[in-house]
Amino acid sequence: MGVLLNSDDQIVLDSKGRLPLEYSKSVENNTDAFTLLKVWQAQLDKRKDGKVLLTNCDLNGDVHDLVFNLIQKAATTFDRDIVTSNNDAYRPYIAELKKQKISLFNLQNISPNNIKNILKKSLSFDELSHDVAWVLHRLARTNNKGLSEDDINDQVRNMLLSMKYQVKDQTREGQSASGKGAGELDLIIEEDGYLFSIIEAMKLNSVKSEYINDHYKKLLTNYNPLQITKTMLVTYYTGSRFDDWWDGYTKHISNIDINIFNFEGEAAITGTEKKETPYPSLRKLVQHFEINDRHHACVQYAIKI
């Protein structure tokens, strides 16, 4: 815990405080452990930088059920990990943990010296997001005037391929907007042959609401029958008033109707947040969803080309 407090990792806790309560109960007869808990809690209480990720969660069930529900609902694009002293307690959740790419680690295998390496996965959505941002900023530094959307996608694909990603483009998967045939994905990212993330691109010079909605729906539902929880929507902006356009685009996305996506089961938009980027011609926002008690996130980039 001491290492995590000084790392870039977030710590997920439930908003009603049951998890710290359960931990305090488990160490109530261990004076040293209880004292450490109080020290950790005091340090976390002082943090105002998003270190603690408070998450609403159903409090029914045992503590392992609580932990599983917390980690799958937490609104973050970072990798998700559970560290436990009892792996067997999470046996009922193994299939879903694999599906959502949530790692399960045993406490005895983690030390202050190796924790950073152990918690780093081979393929990270957060790292993919940063790499896509770098690729897009490179596009803005070259002359792309007159290139089609597919031509620009080819450049994005080639740069990602030159890094470490398994990338496919224009793959006929999912369902078209009309529902009559297979749709065309712009780019898909695979990991060992399995779908990891989907990147859908648009070329815009204004806020075309219906056009944006169609692409967004394709990305989250038509092209995503497996309900991959991490996706990206990219706009290549070709107009002359980038800041004004971005304000209008952000307003449209923030007010979008959840019903346009036709999600199966219960679904809600839980938040839309603007993010800073290190590049002046690149904008970013993240829209968070809760779909059938699972957190989904769509990272959205806009680049002026």
Side-chain angles (χ1 to χ4, degrees), residues 237 239-250 274 280-283 304:
Y237 178 71
S240 59
R241 303 180 64 179
F242 187 45
D243 289 339
D244 291 342
W245 172 86
W246 177 245
D247 289 340
Y249 178 87
T250 301
K274 287 185 177 180
S281 59
L282 182 68
R283 300 290 185 269
K304 187 181 188 309

Side-chain angles (χ1 to χ4, degrees), residues 91-122:
R91 187 179 297 277
Y93 314 104
I94 290 298
E96 193 62 28
L97 290 173
K98 288 181 178 179
K99 184 177 181 180
Q100 297 190 46
K101 300 185 182 300
I102 300 170
S103 294
L104 182 65
F105 298 105
N106 192 278
L107 190 61
Q108 71 175 5
N109 301 125
I110 292 181
S111 70
N113 293 328
N114 69 7
I115 187 171
K116 291 182 179 179
N117 292 329
I118 285 180
L119 296 186
K120 184 175 177 60
K121 297 181 185 177
S122 58

Side-chain angles (χ1 to χ4, degrees), residues 12-30:
V12 180
L13 296 175
D14 63 293
S15 57
K16 295 184 179 179
R18 183 184 165 191
L19 194 58
L21 176 62
E22 293 292 337
Y23 187 81
S24 66
K25 288 179 180 178
S26 71
V27 298
E28 60 185 355
N29 295 321
N30 184 330

Side-chain angles (χ1 to χ4, degrees), residues 25 34 45 57 110 118 131 135 141 168 175 187 193 195 217 220 224 238 259 263 269 271 285 294:
K25 288 179 180 178
F34 192 80
D45 289 343
C57 189
I110 292 181
I118 285 180
D131 287 342
V135 167
R141 295 171 60 180
K168 294 185 177 180
Q175 189 179 58
L187 295 172
L195 183 60
K217 179 183 176 183
L220 297 188
N224 194 3
T238 60
N259 294 316
F263 290 121
I269 296 172
L285 64 81
R294 290 168 58 186

